[in-house]
Amino acid sequence: MGAFSTDKVGGNFRFPVTGLVPVENPNKPVPALQDQDEQHLFANISHRINHVIFIPTRGKSAVDKIPGLDRSLNMQNTIVPENTAIYQYSIQVVPTQYKTLYGELSFASQYAVSEKIVSLEQLRRNEAISGLFIKDFQGLIFTYDFHPVMLYMEERREKIVDFISNLFGIVGGVITMLSLIEGFLHQSTKALIGKKD
């Protein structure tokens, strides 16, 4: 559990796994990944994320005010395959300004998340992970980037004139449908009985 402040620039934070264990002897910790190239290492990096939020540094926070605000990482349990060295979350943060019916401005940051698994074999080949060259690390990596645009959301109440015109449109549509159904039923009963007007 923790929190930190950052400017609106991209970055990353990491949670390393300690105590890597060779499969042959699960009770003996392994000090470093580079010394164990021939052994198969097992580190369980399955995890639970309780809460991830990007709170703006200016104005009132609108995190609880915006309806349908996606918090896709909150209360997330992730079971990771055994051969996984790094589990990465790439987070794209979009600043949002929210205006209530009464003109009160508040701010929030919405985000989208993509997930990536890096196997032990990929880590040993020293492949770049989202532009990062990582060596001798096993665990979770969160990379985040702030979009340079701001999303503007505003609560609006429908004007009474628009509401009345929509209401008349609905009533007119119902009357039209009922008259069509009545005409169809009238014609079909005349055909069945054989009467002519």
Side-chain angles (χ1 to χ4, degrees):
M1 180 174 184
F4 63 92
S5 296
T6 180
D7 291 328
K8 288 188 176 182
V9 294
N12 66 67
F13 52 96
R14 305 172 188 186
F15 296 98
V17 175
T18 57
L20 299 177
V21 182
V23 175
E24 296 82 25
N25 186 359
N27 296 323
K28 181 180 175 189
V30 177
L33 185 61
Q34 65 186 10
D35 300 333
Q36 306 294 331
D37 282 342
E38 299 302 319
Q39 284 186 313
H40 297 288
L41 299 177
F42 169 77
N44 185 359
I45 57 175
S46 297
H47 56 277
R48 175 184 171 89
I49 298 173
N50 291 325
H51 193 69
V52 172
I53 188 168
F54 290 86
I55 299 174
T57 55
R58 67 174 195 166
K60 291 184 178 180
S61 175
V63 172
D64 297 327
K65 296 178 184 178
I66 298 176
L69 184 64
D70 184 27
R71 298 180 186 135
S72 55
L73 286 180
N74 290 355
M75 307 307 280
Q76 176 176 323
N77 291 316
T78 304
I79 306 298
V80 180
E82 286 184 5
N83 193 22
T84 303
I86 295 174
Y87 198 88
Q88 179 188 13
Y89 292 97
S90 294
I91 304 170
Q92 299 295 317
V93 183
V94 179
T96 305
Q97 183 178 7
Y98 183 70
K99 185 176 180 182
T100 64
L101 279 173
Y102 309 108
E104 179 184 337
L105 285 177
S106 48
F107 300 88
S109 293
Q110 301 184 62
Y111 59 86
V113 179
S114 61
E115 301 173 25
K116 180 179 180 181
I117 293 176
V118 178
S119 67
L120 286 170
E121 291 77 29
Q122 289 173 308
L123 187 65
R124 288 187 180 118
R125 289 193 298 258
N126 292 325
E127 294 179 7
I129 303 163
S130 298
L132 302 171
F133 287 96
I134 298 173
K135 188 176 181 182
D136 299 334
F137 177 82
Q138 248 184 309
L140 301 176
I141 297 178
F142 292 79
T143 58
Y144 58 92
D145 193 16
F146 289 89
H147 283 277
V149 296
M150 179 177 279
L151 180 65
Y152 181 75
M153 298 174 72
E154 182 177 355
E155 261 184 12
R156 290 187 189 172
R157 207 176 272 175
E158 192 173 19
K159 295 179 183 175
I160 190 72
V161 174
D162 293 337
F163 174 74
I164 291 173
S165 66
N166 288 339
L167 184 64
F168 281 133
I170 291 171
V171 170
V174 168
I175 291 172
T176 303
M177 287 303 297
L178 287 176
S179 63
L180 286 173
I181 291 171
E182 189 271 330
F184 173 74
L185 289 175
H186 182 69
Q187 291 296 328
S188 60
T189 54
K190 279 196 324 184
L192 287 175
I193 297 175
K195 288 186 178 179
K196 292 186 178 180
D197 284 333

